């Protein structure tokens, strides 16, 4: 249902697009009717900054993660049936991931597993296309070039060290397929050698 991690809940694939870290409203399809304090939240875990109910998973210290998440936003903040939903993570990779980092998204609905639908997403993290600040040469008429730093795609291989923006593609919340009610989603990404990249989860309401 909903990103594709919650991450986004992602029942398909995601894409990462550039988005200003100071503009959580960028790309919203709906006006905001909820603040982050109005989300259903857990009594456990450290809250992730941003407009979402997300908190860091309680089974490890987020300081040990490869990706330092500094913000996570639901776009829009209030998931609604009949509209599109996206999730965006902003942060820094403190070390490279190596090739083919992996992500898993699991979810429950009204505190019950979703039969046949877990994991919602299970595949390479780079299926979420990653944009990072990378210097690239630009050829000129004399065969030289400059190397300006800008946001460019870092996948499909391993993700390099540095600032990154991960944004899911717009997920359609189809009437009749996505029920209203309370969802809980957990998204975790790891490297091939078992290092945790990030782990976030949260409980939220889908309304009509």
């Amino acid at each position: 249902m909903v990103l594709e991690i919650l991450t986004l809940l992602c029942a398909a694939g995601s894409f990462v697009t550039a988005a200003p870290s100071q503009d959580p409203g960028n790309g919203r399809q709906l006006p905001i009717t909820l603040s982050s304090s109005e989300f259903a939240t857990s009594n456990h875990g450290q809250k992730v900054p941003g407009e979402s109910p997300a908190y860091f998973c309680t089974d490890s210290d987020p300081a040990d993660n490869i990706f330092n998440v500094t913000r996570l936003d639901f776009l829009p903040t209030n998931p609604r049936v009949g509209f599109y939903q996206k999730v965006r993570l902003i942060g820094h990779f403190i070390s490279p991931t190596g090739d083919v980092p992996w992500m898993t998204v699991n979810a429950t609905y009204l505190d019950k597993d979703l039969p046949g639908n877990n994991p919602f997403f299970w595949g390479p993290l780079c299926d979420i296309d990653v944009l990072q600040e990378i210097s690239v040469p630009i050829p000129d008429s004399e065969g030289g070039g400059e190397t300006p730093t800008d946001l460019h795609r870092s996948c499909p291989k391993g993700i390099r060290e540095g600032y990154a923006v991960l944004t899911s593609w717009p997920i359609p919340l189809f009437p009749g397929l996505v029920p209203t009610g309370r969802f809980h989603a957990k998204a975790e990404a790891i490297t091939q050698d078992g290092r945790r990249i990030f782990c976030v989860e949260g409980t939220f309401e889908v309304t009509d």
Side-chain angles (χ1 to χ4, degrees):
M1 151 283 64
V2 132
L3 174 55
E4 195 207 8
I5 117 203
L6 185 116
T7 180
L8 185 349
L9 287 170
C10 62
S14 313
F15 299 90
V16 168
T17 58
S21 60
Q22 299 302 317
D23 180 18
N26 184 44
R28 285 183 174 140
Q29 294 87 21
L30 296 173
I32 299 308
T33 60
L34 296 177
S35 69
S36 58
S37 63
E38 295 175 293
F39 281 108
T41 58
S42 169
N43 292 326
H44 305 286
Q46 175 186 344
K47 178 72 172 66
V48 180
E51 291 293 326
S52 83
Y55 55 92
F56 293 104
C57 300
T58 57
D59 56 357
S60 69
D61 185 348
D64 296 332
N65 294 343
I66 291 176
F67 185 54
N68 177 20
V69 180
T70 58
R71 185 176 186 95
L72 192 157
D73 297 307
F74 274 18
L75 307 174
T77 59
N78 51 325
R80 291 176 56 187
V81 172
F83 295 86
Y84 289 90
Q85 181 68 30
K86 296 197 297 182
V87 177
R88 180 179 66 201
L89 295 94
I90 296 172
H92 290 78
F93 284 91
I94 62 175
S95 68
T97 63
D99 288 346
V100 197
W102 206 260
M103 184 172 76
T104 302
V105 179
N106 287 285
T108 58
Y109 172 65
L110 298 178
D111 301 323
K112 297 180 180 179
D113 289 335
L114 301 173
N117 288 317
N118 268 327
F120 270 14
F121 178 84
W122 187 71
L125 176 60
C126 287
D127 282 355
I128 299 181
D129 205 1
V130 180
L131 294 188
Q132 292 190 289
E133 291 180 325
I134 300 173
S135 295
V136 296
I138 298 179
D140 60 22
S141 58
E142 298 181 0
E146 300 179 0
T147 57
T149 297
D150 206 345
L151 286 170
H152 298 282
R153 297 176 188 272
S154 182
C155 292
K157 287 198 172 182
I159 304 170
R160 59 183 289 169
E161 190 175 332
Y163 173 83
V165 181
L166 287 65
T167 305
S168 73
W169 71 308
I171 306 299
L173 306 185
F174 291 116
L177 294 179
V178 177
T180 59
R182 184 179 65 252
F183 287 81
H184 182 88
K186 177 180 179 179
E188 179 180 17
I190 62 172
T191 65
Q192 288 290 325
D193 59 3
R195 293 173 296 152
R196 177 172 276 179
I197 300 171
F198 66 80
C199 186
V200 293
E201 57 185 311
T203 300
F204 53 93
E205 297 283 338
V206 174
T207 61
D208 53 20

